Amino acid sequence: MSVLRLRASLLSRGAAGLGGALRPEGSSCPSPEKGAWWTRGRRYSVNVPERDRRRDAGQVELLEVLEARVRQLQNEYVSEVTVNRVEVAPRKPVSQKDLQALELVEDRVKGDASSAATEAGKASLRWMERLTEERNEMHRRQQILESKLKKVTFCESQIKRREKEFLARKLKGNKQTPNIGKEKAVVGRETPHHSKKQESFKALKVQKENKTSVDDLDSSRLMPEVSRHSKKQLLILDYLECLLSQDLVTQANHLLLSYFHRPGSQKLLTLPMYNSVLKAWAKQGSLHQISTLFSMMNKSGLTPDLVSYASVLECMCRANADFKIIKSCLNQMAKDGLHLKNLFHEVALHRQERMMVLKAIQKVEPGFSPPPASSRKIAISPLLRDFYSKEEPASYPKLPLSLLELQKRFQQQLKLESAMTITIDSVEKKPLTNQNHHARKLLKDLKSQWQEALLKTFRETKVHMSQLHPQINLYPYLCLLKDTDYVDLMMQTLLNLPPHGDSLIHLVTSLAMKVQEKNLIQKKMKPFVLDELKRKYMNYLHLLAKDTQLDSCLPREHWESLESEATICSDFFTQEKAWPEMVLVRLGAQLVEIMVQSVHVPSNLFSSQAEKKLIPVLYHVYSFLSIKQVGFIKPHPTFSQLLAEAACTELTFDSSVMPMLCPPKPWTSPLFGAYVLHPTKLMRCLEGTFQHQELLESCPQEHLYPVLDALNLLGNCAWKVNQPVLDLIISVFNAKGSKKLDVPPPVSEAPTPPSYQLSKDISSSEKAKLRREIAQCHKTAREMYSLRMDALYKLSIAHHLRDQIFWFPHNMDFRGRAYPCPPHFNHLGSDLTRAILLFAEGKPLGPKGLDWLKIHLINLTGLKKREPLQARLAYANEILEDILDSADNPITGKKWWMDVDEPWQTLACCMEIANAVRSPDPEAYISHFPVHQDGSCNGLQHYAALGRDVTGAISVNLMPCDVPQDVYSGVAQLVEEQRRKDAASGRSIAQALEGFIGRKLVKQTVMTVVYGVTRYGGRLQIEKRLKELDDFPKEYVWEASTYLSQLVFSSLSEMFSATREIQDWLTKSAYFISKSGSTVQWVTPLGLPVIQPYHKTQKIIVPGNLQSLCLLSYTDVNQKPNTLKQKNAFPPNFIHSLDSTHMMLTALYCHRKGLTFVSVHDCFWTHASTVDLMNEICREQFVNLHSQPILQELSQYLVQKYCSKLQSHDSSKEKSVNEKLLRMLSHVPERGNFDLQNVKNSTYFFS
């Protein structure tokens, strides 16, 4: 056991100075004179608890300050903190030595030790001395090694220096020196008013001829599609934009100049940084400042782009520059290869900027007018040529709502997003008592006090930070919103904190991201931006409304036609980039520290203590997660008790987690789509990952059109709530849930920790066992709380939308797999969530619709998986009485629906069938019910098609068969045959497994092998299944799981030989690519660029007051690729990119045919009446997809990308590696002779 301090004080340098984050790990922090912010705080000391003191595990006293004894538990358990009575130590000033120590050591805990801890310190003195000796010895050995390596390093440095000198001399002979000093002045008469302007504008003329630098020699090492800006450059750019958003142009310009004139820092400045300041000075008409910046860009070797010249022309218009100056600018622009027409189509300009630029140009060219936007040519693969063909007129389906209804819904959505949060009623109902009413009154009064305290501390913090020496700090980020907005966000975070607390890093980032999102929304709420958005969206709705005529184009195409008429392009709304991770962490840490400082609660709130003291509501504690020490912010038990007794019947959500009340904005680019105001990424990824977005933005936009169109069609599907099923689920939820029906029980049903009394002679093993039992109880309680809250959120959102029609906007992951943006309530959820969703549009069942409902019902039960469709339909007719009974009496009847795989969806289908069969004409019955068609182990289907593997194709239903083939049962059969042989030969583990091998035992491993599961992972999966078997001897679990995993993998290799060859080729290709220093990248058949974001881990230490935060980045493109992850992930990621391509093709062609279509990856949904047509389209698109030479095109792409860098002067070792890479990428596995056309006749391909 170790004693760790629980600190709520502010000890070290705070989050004010962002500049410190730019130092490498281990470097010293700046002194206060250099701008470090010293936050006022107090220290706490504690008493060490007596070792053998008897206590009840649930009784914990927390007063003003805390001292904790943290017991590290085994592996996955988070240690619990036992706290004794606490006393306050007098506050001491923070010393420079303490702060420096905190900068260098992340997890060291400071503070005065209590008197009870002194003896423990003396007892450990010898241990400390020994540790010091060991460190000294290690330091001595390190010095010896460094001295030995010094000579080698010196020789290497000399060689590199001479190489650079040689290259510099070689380049010097070919390089033409810019003749900046002898530029020709503009000829002509100057008026006194313009003489200074024209003289200063000479700096705009930049020599560009034959420009070469040593840096160009290294360009081959960079990924051409993804820029490798350092974290420092991203931080500087973001800080500049933050200043400029608040019209602090002088400060931004001063920062730019300081880096420009600082030795070694000029190279940090990038073109976007200059452009940001250029645009700001253009607004003020300061031509002199514009000229100065162009001169700086020239000296830095940067070439102005269209954004740069747009700013210059706007500035010239505002400054009323004369003809000659503007003419000189346009001439220089032409020399740089830039065209005037592109200013109005490729640069985001709002109405006033557009007019200014045009006015300046027309001063020189009076007849000039912006050309109309040219229709973009769509570079479409053969898969979609007929889809985008305009030869035949197209008519697309409409929404079941009128134009007026859609416009009203848009106004509601706009109001919801501008508020950023929404408060809804909770479905969890509890009878209220006087105690509840009293707690609510207390909570209301305390909320008011907390808000005042937070506002006061926040303002004091801002005042203090505003007085700091000018530097990159947090002050501008604390001025982006109103002070009360920051307080509201902190209060929302406080009230949503779970009773067991949250990790500090998660709390910090989530709070900072809320600030960022609110800032972006406020920018979009500016009148000229919002008015333009409203106008476009209102016109866009003419395409979707049922009472309008327009129906001949796709949503993206219609929005682009509106763009051509607009004065602001869509990219203007979302051109703001995400904040760097460092900014998020610093800002969030500052706000959390303010919360810890400011929020207090009376100590006698629920006790009879006479003395009233204020104690912190939040406290900081270290716990162990496995072997890692993690900082947590935990609420005081008094605070948690207050919230529990208040029994609040409302829940507050961010508007971004709610389904939309109107159709989403169509995706027209990687920067525009989904929610009306809320910023949404087209490609979801971890925070701090930029390569995906940069790759999308650098890709020709027409290549992304098929993907964007597919996401738009998925998001335009309208939904409604199945109210009868929802009411039943809520009733079970409020009746303490049901394990059988997968409705989580309340936390009050969690097991209570065992009571215990520790005797003096208790052994250490007994203590450890007791600690594990207590920890397991706490772990179970936390898991139950998470599951309960997850269900509560889903049901409460569904209840709130019970009378509404709503939409799920979609985006995708880096492989192209589509996901709904709302995280809690969507059709990708569990059985419970899917059961309460219906299509908003209803369609008549038609002649086969009722049969498909019955087949779908049996599919949901999982009872007849290996039976043909006719047998499933016959079985449904046999049990029709049970189906009707389940629909009429779900809780009091026979309860047949409760004993199946998907009980809630089964019940919902029973109700739909009952309504249909009881209607006067079942064929005319309007059904809103979605029917699913699942792929048969879809990953293996793609592998079998790629390799034209006949045996594999039969196993996964690519070949027509009378009954569905079950690959899981086939593998289980092969495993059982081998087990029998081994048992007959006397192998004991094979004999012990007799009677236990079945489909369920091997299913998960077979399913995930295609997605990259290793033998170790497969063994763990089988081990979990064996533990679920009550009759299987537990002592054989490990040996049996090892044995079975080997049999499963060998059986799969036997059944899918071509699959294994392809998988091995992909794995080895990725291995050689990553070993060469590159990340694996490819393009899907629809044109989506994909890059694997797996790099070596980068550790960044962010000093803070509560603790130093350690950020682990796995996605930094400046780091080397992680070879293990790159090679293991390539096969599954490539297959995922193919199944997403198949899904999107199916979505596009279903929309063309007028079908309602949504998907859950390889599970396709549509109305019962259109299942047959969807199946036909699904099979056709699978055949069309795999009729393309996918592996051959992949090989060509990889060879061109990774093998075109071979140089004649490469070393022999490099040549050998490159030759191996070329041979591997060129050696495409041979294909079998399976005929893909058979898929079109396979009934059970998707069924």
Side-chain angles (χ1 to χ4, degrees):
M1 294 186 290
S2 61
V3 178
L4 299 176
R5 298 197 183 280
L6 311 183
R7 298 173 299 161
S9 61
L10 306 176
L11 296 178
S12 66
R13 184 175 61 84
L18 285 177
L22 304 178
R23 296 189 306 276
E25 181 185 350
S27 60
S28 60
C29 62
S31 62
E33 290 75 14
K34 294 183 180 179
W37 178 49
W38 299 78
T39 308
R40 294 175 300 160
R42 57 185 171 200
R43 294 186 172 191
Y44 301 118
S45 64
V46 299
N47 292 330
V48 179
E50 299 176 6
R51 293 181 181 274
D52 299 325
R53 180 180 176 183
R54 298 179 182 177
R55 63 169 65 239
D56 187 291
Q59 296 296 323
V60 178
E61 263 190 54
L62 293 175
L63 300 177
E64 282 191 30
V65 250
L66 304 171
E67 167 130 350
R69 175 174 307 229
V70 180
R71 298 185 177 98
Q72 182 176 355
L73 302 176
Q74 292 182 344
N75 296 328
E76 72 270 20
Y77 299 132
V78 177
S79 65
E80 292 302 316
V81 180
T82 306
V83 183
N84 194 16
R85 188 173 180 277
V86 179
E87 296 178 358
V88 180
R91 193 178 77 179
K92 297 175 64 177
V94 182
S95 68
Q96 179 70 12
K97 182 180 292 186
D98 289 337
L99 289 165
Q100 289 176 351
L102 276 171
E103 287 293 323
L104 298 175
V105 182
E106 177 189 356
D107 295 325
R108 186 177 301 168
V109 182
K110 308 279 185 300
D112 295 332
S114 62
S115 58
T118 305
E119 293 299 323
K122 292 180 179 179
S124 62
L125 184 59
R126 291 189 300 275
W127 176 81
M128 292 295 294
E129 291 175 351
R130 183 176 179 183
L131 179 62
T132 304
E133 291 176 0
E134 291 178 356
R135 286 178 176 172
N136 292 336
E137 178 65 18
M138 289 177 64
H139 181 65
R140 187 181 66 82
R141 292 179 181 178
Q142 184 179 359
Q143 287 180 332
I144 294 173
L145 288 174
E146 288 177 352
S147 64
K148 290 181 179 179
L149 293 173
K150 190 173 182 180
K151 295 181 180 180
V152 178
T153 305
F154 175 76
C155 294
E156 290 178 351
S157 63
Q158 291 297 313
I159 292 172
K160 291 180 180 178
R161 182 179 63 80
R162 291 175 183 175
E163 287 179 352
K164 288 182 179 180
E165 290 176 354
F166 173 76
L167 290 173
R169 287 196 302 270
K170 187 175 180 180
L171 288 171
K172 190 174 181 180
N174 299 327
K175 186 175 179 180
Q176 296 182 7
T177 306
N179 192 8
I180 301 174
K182 298 182 179 181
E183 293 174 352
K184 294 182 179 180
V186 179
V187 180
R189 184 180 58 185
E190 295 182 0
T191 62
H193 177 69
H194 291 119
S195 60
K196 290 185 179 180
K197 295 179 182 178
Q198 186 161 342
E199 183 179 354
S200 63
F201 186 68
K202 291 178 183 179
L204 293 176
K205 303 183 71 176
V206 184
Q207 300 288 337
K208 302 296 178 186
E209 295 82 2
N210 301 324
K211 182 180 176 183
T212 310
S213 67
V214 178
D215 293 336
D216 293 336
L217 298 177
D218 297 328
S219 61
S220 62
R221 300 179 185 176
L222 303 179
M223 297 178 62
E225 299 86 352
V226 179
S227 61
R228 292 178 180 261
H229 294 307
S230 68
K231 292 184 181 294
K232 190 168 186 176
Q233 288 175 317
L234 295 174
L235 186 58
I236 296 171
L237 175 60
D238 191 76
Y239 189 76
L240 284 171
E241 292 176 347
C242 181
L243 291 171
L244 295 172
S245 67
Q246 301 171 65
D247 296 326
L248 301 175
V249 187
T250 304
Q251 290 90 325
N253 195 75
H254 177 74
L255 180 68
L256 201 67
L257 286 170
S258 67
Y259 275 99
F260 182 80
H261 294 298
R262 190 181 304 167
S265 297
Q266 188 181 116
K267 62 183 179 181
L268 292 173
L269 301 181
T270 61
L271 187 60
M273 297 179 195
Y274 285 104
N275 285 341
S276 297
V277 184
L278 279 172
K279 288 189 284 187
W281 284 124
K283 298 285 184 298
Q284 300 185 11
S286 180
L287 194 56
H288 174 69
Q289 295 287 359
I290 294 281
S291 175
T292 302
L293 291 175
F294 260 73
S295 178
M296 293 165 59
M297 293 164 62
N298 176 30
K299 293 178 182 177
S300 300
L302 297 175
T303 305
D305 60 3
L306 287 171
V307 177
S308 311
Y309 283 107
S311 300
V312 173
L313 291 171
E314 180 189 352
C315 182
M316 289 178 174
C317 180
R318 293 181 186 274
N320 196 24
D322 65 8
F323 175 89
K324 295 178 181 178
I325 299 176
I326 301 176
K327 179 67 175 177
S328 176
C329 175
L330 296 181
N331 289 340
Q332 185 61 46
M333 183 178 170
K335 288 181 181 179
D336 289 340
L338 304 174
H339 302 288
L340 289 178
K341 63 179 182 179
N342 295 335
L343 281 173
F344 301 91
H345 299 307
E346 298 182 13
V347 181
L349 301 171
H350 63 73
R351 182 182 291 106
Q352 190 179 23
E353 294 171 341
R354 185 185 178 95
M355 291 173 57
M356 292 287 181
V357 173
L358 183 59
K359 186 176 179 181
I361 295 173
Q362 289 178 341
K363 212 169 190 179
V364 176
E365 301 181 17
F368 177 83
S369 61
S374 58
S375 57
R376 298 180 181 178
K377 295 182 179 180
I378 302 180
I380 295 301
S381 71
L383 295 170
L384 288 169
R385 281 177 186 163
D386 57 336
F387 179 83
Y388 285 103
S389 173
K390 301 300 181 182
E391 297 177 358
E392 298 181 3
S395 178
Y396 296 107
K398 299 264 195 174
L399 292 174
L401 295 168
S402 67
L403 179 62
L404 182 60
E405 289 174 315
L406 289 173
Q407 290 175 343
K408 288 180 179 179
R409 292 173 182 276
F410 169 69
Q411 296 292 347
Q412 294 174 2
Q413 181 67 25
L414 192 61
K415 182 179 179 181
L416 171 64
E417 291 190 41
S418 60
M420 266 198 71
T421 60
I422 180 174
T423 301
I424 64 177
D425 292 331
S426 170
V427 297
E428 191 170 31
K429 302 300 181 183
K430 298 177 181 178
L432 295 180
T433 63
N434 292 333
Q435 188 177 3
N436 297 135
H437 290 294
H438 176 66
R440 288 185 180 183
K441 185 177 182 304
L442 277 177
L443 183 60
K444 182 179 179 181
D445 295 339
L446 287 172
K447 280 182 181 180
S448 178
Q449 297 175 20
W450 294 337
Q451 287 174 332
E452 293 177 3
L454 287 170
L455 185 60
K456 180 182 177 182
T457 308
F458 182 79
R459 286 175 173 169
E460 290 175 353
T461 302
K462 282 181 62 177
V463 170
H464 184 80
M465 295 177 65
S466 66
Q467 299 170 355
L468 296 176
H469 186 72
Q471 61 168 353
I472 295 183
N473 59 38
L474 278 181
Y475 178 70
Y477 294 95
L478 296 178
C479 300
L480 291 171
L481 311 177
K482 297 178 181 177
D483 292 351
T484 52
D485 290 335
Y486 289 97
V487 172
D488 291 341
L489 293 176
M490 287 187 281
M491 284 295 298
Q492 181 184 347
T493 302
L494 174 66
L495 297 174
N496 288 337
L497 193 65
H500 54 269
D502 199 355
S503 67
L504 178 60
I505 186 64
H506 179 262
L507 205 63
V508 158
T509 52
S510 61
L511 184 54
M513 287 177 66
K514 289 179 181 179
V515 175
Q516 180 191 11
E517 290 168 2
K518 190 167 185 66
N519 175 53
L520 291 176
I521 289 174
Q522 285 187 356
K523 288 184 177 181
K524 296 178 186 178
M525 292 293 289
K526 292 180 179 179
F528 68 90
V529 177
L530 188 59
D531 292 344
E532 189 69 24
L533 177 61
K534 286 181 179 179
R535 185 191 67 79
K536 287 182 186 175
Y537 192 89
M538 291 298 187
N539 290 330
Y540 167 68
L541 291 177
H542 284 78
L543 177 69
L544 305 179
K546 66 179 181 181
D547 55 348
T548 56
Q549 299 298 319
L550 182 64
D551 65 351
S552 58
C553 57
L554 294 166
R556 173 192 52 79
E557 294 173 337
H558 184 46
W559 192 277
E560 286 180 345
S561 68
L562 298 174
E563 290 279 2
S564 62
E565 307 167 5
T567 57
I568 306 178
C569 66
S570 294
D571 289 353
F572 181 82
F573 299 120
T574 51
Q575 59 184 334
E576 188 80 19
K577 302 293 184 182
W579 288 350
E581 192 176 18
M582 192 65 66
V583 173
L584 293 173
V585 172
R586 291 283 188 171
L587 178 59
Q590 184 64 69
L591 297 177
V592 171
E593 289 163 9
I594 291 174
M595 292 169 61
V596 172
Q597 274 186 297
S598 308
V599 183
H600 294 81
V601 67
S603 59
N604 60 350
L605 198 64
F606 292 107
S607 66
S608 57
Q609 284 181 314
E611 183 183 3
K612 178 181 178 181
K613 295 192 296 185
L614 291 179
I615 57 177
V617 168
L618 302 176
Y619 63 96
H620 177 247
V621 57
Y622 286 110
S623 289
F624 283 94
L625 183 63
S626 184
I627 60 173
K628 294 181 180 179
Q629 190 177 359
V630 180
F632 273 78
I633 296 295
K634 285 196 175 185
H636 194 285
T638 301
F639 173 76
S640 300
Q641 183 181 354
L642 176 62
L643 291 183
E645 293 191 2
C648 294
T649 58
E650 292 181 337
L651 298 172
T652 300
F653 294 100
D654 293 335
S655 58
S656 59
V657 305
M658 298 290 290
M660 292 186 68
L661 302 178
C662 66
K665 287 185 312 187
W667 286 106
T668 58
S669 76
L671 298 170
F672 185 86
Y675 287 96
V676 177
L677 296 176
H678 185 272
T680 309
K681 294 179 180 178
L682 172 62
M683 191 169 279
R684 52 176 64 192
C685 56
L686 295 174
E687 289 302 321
T689 305
F690 300 101
Q691 58 263 46
H692 302 302
Q693 187 68 24
E694 292 181 1
L695 195 62
L696 291 173
E697 292 178 20
S698 64
C699 174
Q701 292 301 295
E702 57 268 21
H703 292 180
L704 299 177
Y705 285 167
V707 173
L708 300 180
D709 290 337
L711 292 175
N712 292 335
L713 302 183
L714 295 172
N716 277 349
C717 177
W719 300 85
K720 70 175 185 177
V721 170
N722 190 334
Q723 296 187 19
V725 177
L726 174 63
D727 292 336
L728 277 171
I729 297 175
I730 291 175
S731 65
V732 175
F733 180 83
N734 285 322
K736 296 187 177 181
S738 170
K739 183 177 180 181
K740 183 178 182 179
L741 299 177
D742 202 24
V743 179
V747 183
S748 59
E749 301 299 306
T752 56
S755 58
Y756 60 92
Q757 291 183 345
L758 295 179
S759 59
K760 293 183 178 180
D761 56 348
I762 187 172
S763 65
S764 58
S765 60
E766 291 175 327
K767 285 183 180 180
K769 180 181 179 182
L770 183 60
R771 285 197 298 267
R772 286 194 294 270
E773 291 177 0
I774 295 174
Q776 182 61 46
C777 290
H778 286 293
K779 180 174 180 286
T780 302
R782 285 191 295 269
E783 292 173 349
M784 290 179 63
Y785 175 84
S786 298
L787 292 172
R788 180 75 174 182
M789 295 306 295
D790 179 63
L792 176 64
Y793 292 166
K794 287 178 168 64
L795 296 176
S796 297
I797 293 173
H799 179 69
H800 175 72
L801 298 171
R802 62 185 301 127
D803 298 316
Q804 296 271 15
I805 292 177
F806 49 90
W807 287 261
F808 298 133
H810 279 62
N811 61 1
M812 60 184 172
D813 64 13
F814 73 91
R815 303 161 301 186
R817 282 196 138 193
Y819 294 85
C821 296
H824 300 303
F825 180 55
N826 59 61
H827 61 289
L828 258 69
S830 61
D831 169 55
L832 179 147
T833 312
R834 297 185 187 187
I836 53 182
L837 282 171
L838 296 172
F839 292 135
E841 181 183 10
K843 291 186 178 181
L845 284 178
K848 292 186 178 181
L850 182 57
D851 289 346
W852 272 116
L853 279 177
K854 293 177 180 178
I855 293 171
H856 177 57
L857 172 70
I858 304 305
N859 289 345
L860 291 170
T861 64
L863 298 175
K864 300 289 181 178
K865 292 182 179 179
R866 303 204 64 180
E867 298 292 331
L869 295 181
Q870 294 77 8
R872 301 180 203 180
L873 178 60
Y875 179 70
N877 290 325
E878 287 178 17
I879 61 169
L880 186 59
E881 182 180 347
D882 291 334
I883 295 173
L884 298 178
D885 176 75
S886 297
D888 298 335
N889 307 294
I891 303 299
T892 59
K894 299 177 182 179
K895 304 178 184 179
W896 167 81
W897 62 278
M898 291 186 181
D899 300 317
V900 297
D901 288 353
E902 309 283 354
W904 290 110
Q905 291 181 81
T906 299
L907 176 61
C909 195
C910 288
M911 292 180 174
E912 186 73 3
I913 291 173
N915 292 333
V917 297
R918 290 167 176 167
S919 64
D921 183 5
E923 292 188 10
Y925 173 75
I926 304 298
S927 174
H928 298 259
F929 199 84
V931 175
H932 313 165
Q933 295 288 278
D934 274 313
S936 179
C937 200
N938 191 238
L940 285 174
Q941 287 180 326
H942 284 284
Y943 268 123
L946 286 171
R948 303 295 195 271
D949 182 4
V950 176
T951 304
I954 295 174
S955 301
V956 291
N957 292 301
L958 297 187
M959 185 75 78
C961 296
D962 294 333
V963 296
Q965 302 299 305
D966 184 20
V967 64
Y968 311 116
S969 299
V971 172
Q973 184 177 351
L974 289 178
V975 170
E976 173 62 16
E977 290 175 359
Q978 184 60 44
R979 185 207 64 80
R980 288 176 186 164
K981 295 178 182 178
D982 293 341
S985 62
R987 189 164 181 176
S988 59
I989 190 61
Q991 295 170 350
L993 280 165
E994 184 175 358
F996 291 102
I997 294 178
R999 181 182 187 273
K1000 185 177 180 181
L1001 187 64
V1002 303
K1003 178 180 178 180
Q1004 185 181 13
T1005 306
V1006 174
M1007 186 187 302
T1008 53
V1009 159
V1010 67
Y1011 296 125
V1013 72
T1014 61
R1015 291 180 181 271
Y1016 175 75
R1019 190 198 68 77
L1020 292 179
Q1021 292 170 344
I1022 295 174
E1023 178 182 316
K1024 185 177 181 180
R1025 299 283 85 81
L1026 288 172
K1027 288 181 178 179
E1028 295 172 355
L1029 301 175
D1030 297 332
D1031 300 334
F1032 188 76
K1034 303 305 178 189
E1035 63 270 17
Y1036 289 120
V1037 166
W1038 189 91
E1039 185 180 0
S1041 60
T1042 304
Y1043 170 71
L1044 288 177
S1045 63
Q1046 295 171 350
L1047 293 186
V1048 169
F1049 275 80
S1050 61
S1051 299
L1052 280 170
S1053 298
E1054 181 181 339
M1055 291 180 65
F1056 297 90
S1057 56
T1059 296
R1060 177 55 65 184
E1061 290 178 6
I1062 296 172
Q1063 200 169 25
D1064 290 344
W1065 178 69
L1066 294 173
T1067 301
K1068 292 177 181 177
S1069 297
Y1071 173 80
F1072 282 106
I1073 290 171
S1074 58
K1075 275 295 184 182
S1076 69
S1078 301
T1079 52
V1080 180
Q1081 189 174 339
W1082 71 97
V1083 178
T1084 70
L1086 283 186
L1088 178 69
V1090 180
I1091 182 173
Q1092 295 194 147
Y1094 312 122
H1095 295 263
K1096 295 288 186 182
T1097 303
Q1098 182 187 26
K1099 183 179 179 181
I1100 304 172
I1101 302 297
V1102 184
N1105 293 332
L1106 293 177
Q1107 73 172 66
S1108 294
L1109 292 172
C1110 179
L1111 303 181
L1112 298 178
S1113 174
Y1114 305 96
T1115 58
D1116 188 357
V1117 295
N1118 296 297
Q1119 299 296 314
K1120 292 182 178 180
N1122 186 319
T1123 302
L1124 183 63
K1125 288 187 177 181
Q1126 288 284 341
K1127 75 180 186 67
N1128 287 341
F1130 186 32
N1133 286 340
F1134 181 72
I1135 295 300
H1136 278 312
S1137 71
L1138 291 183
D1139 70 41
S1140 70
T1141 299
H1142 176 227
M1143 183 277 295
M1144 290 181 177
L1145 287 170
T1146 306
L1148 291 170
Y1149 280 95
C1150 282
H1151 185 70
R1152 187 71 175 266
K1153 296 289 186 179
L1155 276 67
T1156 300
F1157 176 90
V1158 292
S1159 77
V1160 181
H1161 303 317
D1162 59 348
C1163 178
F1164 298 168
W1165 298 17
T1166 190
H1167 286 91
S1169 59
T1170 56
V1171 172
D1172 288 315
L1173 181 55
M1174 183 191 72
N1175 278 334
E1176 180 183 341
I1177 295 172
C1178 171
R1179 297 182 192 113
E1180 286 178 354
Q1181 295 313 311
F1182 186 87
V1183 173
N1184 291 340
L1185 170 63
H1186 284 282
S1187 295
Q1188 307 301 313
I1190 295 175
L1191 292 182
Q1192 287 73 17
E1193 290 179 352
L1194 174 65
S1195 173
Q1196 293 171 8
Y1197 176 86
L1198 296 178
V1199 168
Q1200 182 179 2
K1201 183 170 184 62
Y1202 299 109
C1203 298
S1204 59
K1205 304 174 184 178
L1206 302 181
Q1207 304 292 335
S1208 58
H1209 56 75
D1210 286 346
S1211 65
S1212 59
K1213 183 177 180 181
E1214 290 176 334
K1215 286 183 179 179
S1216 176
V1217 172
N1218 291 330
E1219 289 172 359
K1220 287 181 181 179
L1221 176 62
L1222 179 59
R1223 285 197 302 270
M1224 175 55 62
L1225 298 183
S1226 304
H1227 183 66
V1228 181
E1230 296 182 0
R1231 299 194 299 187
N1233 54 9
F1234 172 68
D1235 185 2
L1236 278 176
Q1237 298 301 319
N1238 289 317
V1239 175
K1240 294 183 178 180
N1241 300 317
S1242 177
T1243 303
Y1244 303 105
F1245 168 62
F1246 268 62
S1247 65

